[in-house]
Amino acid sequence: MTQVRINIPLRNRNGGHIAAFEVLAKPAGPKHSVWDANSAAEPSGRRQGSAGSGTRPWWKTYRWGLRTTDLAVVLGAISLAYFWRFGLDNPLEANREESLSYFLLAVVISVGWMADLEFAKSRDRQVVGVGVAEYRRVLQSTLRVFGATAILMVIFKIDVLRGFFAVALPLGLVALLGSRWLWRRWLARQRVGGQFLSDVVVMGNPMDVEYVVRQLRSHINVGYRVAGVALTTLEEDMAQRSPWRHIPVLSTMADISRVVRVTGASVVVVAGQLPGGPETIQKLGWRLEDMDTELVLASNLTNVAGPRVHFRPVEGLPLMHVELPQYSGGRHVVKRAMDIVLSTFALLVLFPLLIVLTVIVRLDSAGPAFFRQERVGRNGEVFNMFKFRSMVQDAEDRLSELENSNESDGLLFKMVHDPRVTRCGQWLRRFSLDELPQFWNVLKGDMSLVGPRPPLRKEVDEYEKPTHRRLLIKPGITGLWQVSGRSDLPWEEAVRLDLYYVENWSLTGDFVILWRTVKAVYEPSGAY
């Protein structure tokens, strides 16, 4: 069997050269499912600033920063509520007994609030910086503390004005969430610059590892930097292909101790299945535990049912429960109520802007100001979607002339420099102003504020079977597809995001997407 020799330079996080890591590997064949790296040379250096190198882990420093900010917010909110009750002119002189009781209450709430934020794990490394879990834990902790305090006051018949809570609760909650958001923005900027990242080694077969590597690279805000991979199979020419030519292919699972030691990785990500199944993963977990290294399983199941996956520990048999997706019921009633309230408010507030844009579109080119097009909604129901016209009036008739210029890899027609787009249409599309009339579709009930992208009938006719699941809920003005790159997304990735949203949507997630949409409008990407 011919051996493949790969000479891979290993560099530290600052770009400095450490060592050339030479791997001797046997190409995958019918009798060789795991490639051999036993003869790989041991590098003489280590990655700087990684786990085990003697430096303070970044998340501990970040966690203390959060604690400090949380304490300042809690004390600020309680103090403002206290002085709102008694004023700024020496409250102890006004009513010493009453002010003392309020002071003791403020101390109890402050201590309980900080303690609950700690016990709720709102500053855990796994939740800070990405996702909605951090915000959800802050919200739940705040409501829990104030709810418990209110119950105790009723039980012990403590008379406290509701105005104290009316100031402290909303002010503290908004300030806490705002401070966490500011910290997250700061952390994201640091991570883009290569700081506050955890070095990881990804293990598995090349296909699964490649997917995980690409996802981690495109979502650097998650906080993982790929320091190396360990593959179960190896092809002769893969060292010259993307992404492998930029990643050290270091060793197999059998030599994972040395791989972690060489890379300084604090996390090992298992992509898909490993040879040997669950027993192999269990033994791997034991070995990583001895090295104080975290084990992360990148299961294909989580792409479909992440928030719906729950573990039920049964002695000797841990069970993974996947909740059924909810396509109707109380949460959808609340979602519809939110759509009605917010779309009505948006139409009232934006009415002057809608009038101005209507005039601009009419003056810019011949034709109506609004463009009406049939789209497919929930359960395949067809409706007329409204937009400001951003193309020439005969754009649909000219589509056949541009078919050869289609830059899409899927069912959509995409063209960066589409000659049919009008002058005002360019900036209308760039800042998503052409979609403002869709608030009327939301108010009517054809669409929702957040949901999958509303498809054309011809797209639906060509859907493969799983893609039809996009039609199980109402399409949205915005969604994961819009805040993740819009037209720049490959077709398969856009479908994956829509399917993920359909099966895992939540009201908290909708608010996060709406918030991210504001950023996507100010910093447009993939809008053309």
Side-chain angles (χ1 to χ4, degrees):
M1 181 67 66
T2 304
Q3 288 186 326
V4 180
R5 185 179 297 271
I6 306 175
N7 196 326
I8 302 175
L10 187 62
R11 300 179 180 274
N12 62 23
R13 66 181 59 189
N14 297 318
H17 181 270
I18 294 180
F21 201 170
E22 187 177 84
V23 177
L24 288 176
K26 295 179 180 179
K31 295 184 180 180
H32 299 279
S33 59
V34 180
W35 56 284
D36 183 12
N38 293 330
S39 57
E42 178 80 39
S44 59
R46 300 177 61 99
R47 293 178 68 93
Q48 299 176 356
S50 301
S53 63
T55 60
R56 181 182 180 88
W58 68 264
W59 63 87
K60 292 185 178 180
T61 303
Y62 185 80
R63 187 181 299 161
W64 275 108
L66 290 180
R67 287 192 181 106
T68 303
T69 307
D70 289 347
L71 179 60
V73 168
V74 168
L75 293 179
I78 297 299
S79 298
L80 285 175
Y82 181 79
F83 286 114
W84 175 87
R85 169 66 184 87
F86 293 101
L88 298 176
D89 298 329
N90 196 0
L92 292 177
E93 296 297 331
N95 189 328
R96 188 174 297 273
E97 182 178 350
E98 182 184 8
S99 63
L100 182 60
S101 64
Y102 272 90
F103 178 77
L104 293 176
L105 176 64
V107 172
V108 170
I109 292 178
S110 300
V111 173
W113 205 347
M114 288 298 297
D116 199 279
L117 286 171
E118 191 72 32
F119 294 139
K121 299 182 178 180
S122 68
R123 309 181 189 99
D124 266 19
R125 175 187 173 190
Q126 288 78 11
V127 301
V128 297
V130 66
V132 300
E134 179 182 4
Y135 297 131
R136 185 185 297 117
R137 293 183 185 184
V138 169
L139 173 63
Q140 292 172 346
S141 178
T142 301
L143 296 179
R144 188 162 46 241
V145 169
F146 278 87
T149 304
I151 292 174
L152 290 176
M153 287 193 305
V154 172
I155 294 176
F156 293 102
K157 298 180 180 180
I158 300 175
D159 187 19
V160 177
L161 291 178
R162 287 171 293 183
F164 183 85
F165 287 87
V167 174
L169 175 58
L171 180 63
L173 179 58
V174 171
L176 275 178
L177 295 176
S179 66
R180 293 299 183 97
W181 177 78
L182 291 174
W183 269 108
R184 186 171 290 198
R185 293 275 293 177
W186 178 85
L187 182 61
R189 289 194 297 269
Q190 298 301 311
R191 285 174 168 174
V192 170
Q195 303 297 319
F196 290 84
L197 297 172
S198 299
D199 291 328
V200 304
V201 172
V202 186
M203 301 179 59
N205 66 69
M207 182 177 297
D208 290 335
V209 170
E210 179 178 354
Y211 176 77
V212 171
V213 169
R214 293 187 185 278
Q215 289 297 311
L216 293 181
R217 283 181 167 177
S218 60
H219 298 86
I220 193 65
N221 59 314
V222 175
Y224 289 145
R225 170 175 46 207
V226 180
V229 298
L231 305 178
T232 56
T233 59
L234 187 67
E235 302 170 8
E236 293 192 38
D237 62 339
M238 67 185 310
Q240 306 302 321
R241 301 200 311 261
S242 176
W244 312 114
R245 64 175 177 268
H246 300 300
I247 298 177
V249 181
L250 299 177
S251 181
T252 63
M253 183 187 64
D255 203 24
I256 190 61
S257 300
R258 187 169 59 159
V259 171
V260 171
R261 186 170 66 253
V262 167
T263 61
S266 59
V267 180
V268 172
V269 178
V270 176
Q273 298 295 323
L274 291 180
E279 184 178 353
T280 300
I281 295 179
Q282 184 182 42
K283 292 180 179 179
L284 175 63
W286 292 339
R287 296 178 64 182
L288 296 178
E289 181 182 354
D290 294 336
M291 295 181 288
D292 195 25
T293 302
E294 184 179 355
L295 175 63
V296 176
L297 303 181
S299 170
N300 290 333
L301 179 62
T302 58
N303 287 332
V304 180
R308 295 188 288 118
V309 176
H310 303 281
F311 289 93
R312 181 184 178 186
V314 178
E315 189 171 345
L317 182 64
L319 300 178
M320 180 185 292
H321 288 256
V322 181
E323 295 178 356
L324 293 175
Q326 301 296 319
Y327 303 120
S328 60
R331 288 197 307 159
H332 283 268
V333 174
V334 177
K335 182 179 175 73
R336 176 58 186 153
M338 183 178 72
D339 286 342
I340 293 175
V341 172
L342 293 183
S343 62
T344 301
F345 177 76
L347 288 172
L348 292 175
V349 171
L350 297 175
F351 184 75
L353 177 61
L354 295 174
I355 297 298
V356 172
L357 293 178
T358 300
V359 174
I360 291 175
V361 173
R362 288 294 302 272
L363 295 177
D364 184 65
S365 62
F370 296 96
F371 175 70
R372 185 174 64 180
Q373 189 177 49
E374 282 193 349
R375 297 292 179 108
V376 180
R378 185 178 183 182
N379 297 324
E381 297 180 359
V382 178
F383 68 96
N384 288 318
M385 187 185 75
F386 295 94
K387 301 177 67 175
F388 278 118
R389 183 175 55 83
S390 60
M391 290 186 172
V392 293
Q393 190 172 2
D394 60 344
E396 292 294 315
D397 298 332
R398 294 172 55 182
L399 179 60
S400 58
E401 305 173 5
L402 303 173
E403 288 293 343
N404 294 332
S405 302
N406 188 9
E407 300 172 7
S408 171
D409 62 345
L411 303 180
L412 301 176
F413 178 86
K414 292 189 293 187
M415 190 175 176
V416 177
H417 302 290
D418 195 324
R420 300 173 299 164
V421 177
T422 62
R423 289 175 300 176
C424 72
Q426 294 177 0
W427 52 267
L428 284 174
R429 289 180 165 220
R430 178 173 175 78
F431 297 102
S432 300
L433 296 176
D434 60 322
E435 299 175 1
L436 293 181
Q438 292 174 28
F439 282 113
W440 175 248
N441 288 114
V442 174
L443 185 60
K444 289 175 56 182
D446 299 325
M447 297 176 61
S448 178
L449 291 173
V450 183
R453 187 189 63 82
L456 296 166
R457 184 193 292 270
K458 64 179 182 179
E459 296 174 36
V460 175
D461 293 340
E462 298 183 39
Y463 276 176
E464 297 178 357
K465 189 172 183 180
T467 312
H468 278 280
R469 298 183 65 84
R470 299 170 83 182
L471 306 179
L472 290 175
I473 65 176
K474 293 178 181 178
I477 295 179
T478 185
L480 284 176
W481 51 274
Q482 188 178 53
V483 299
S484 302
R486 288 188 275 189
S487 295
D488 285 342
L489 288 175
W491 170 253
E492 291 186 0
E493 180 67 8
V495 172
R496 187 188 71 82
L497 290 174
D498 277 346
L499 293 181
Y500 183 89
Y501 176 82
V502 167
E503 298 192 358
N504 302 286
W505 78 272
S506 66
L507 293 173
T508 305
D510 280 3
F511 280 113
V512 171
I513 291 174
L514 289 172
W515 177 254
R516 291 177 61 188
T517 300
V518 176
K519 178 183 176 181
V521 171
Y522 279 105
E523 300 176 7
S525 174
Y528 48 82

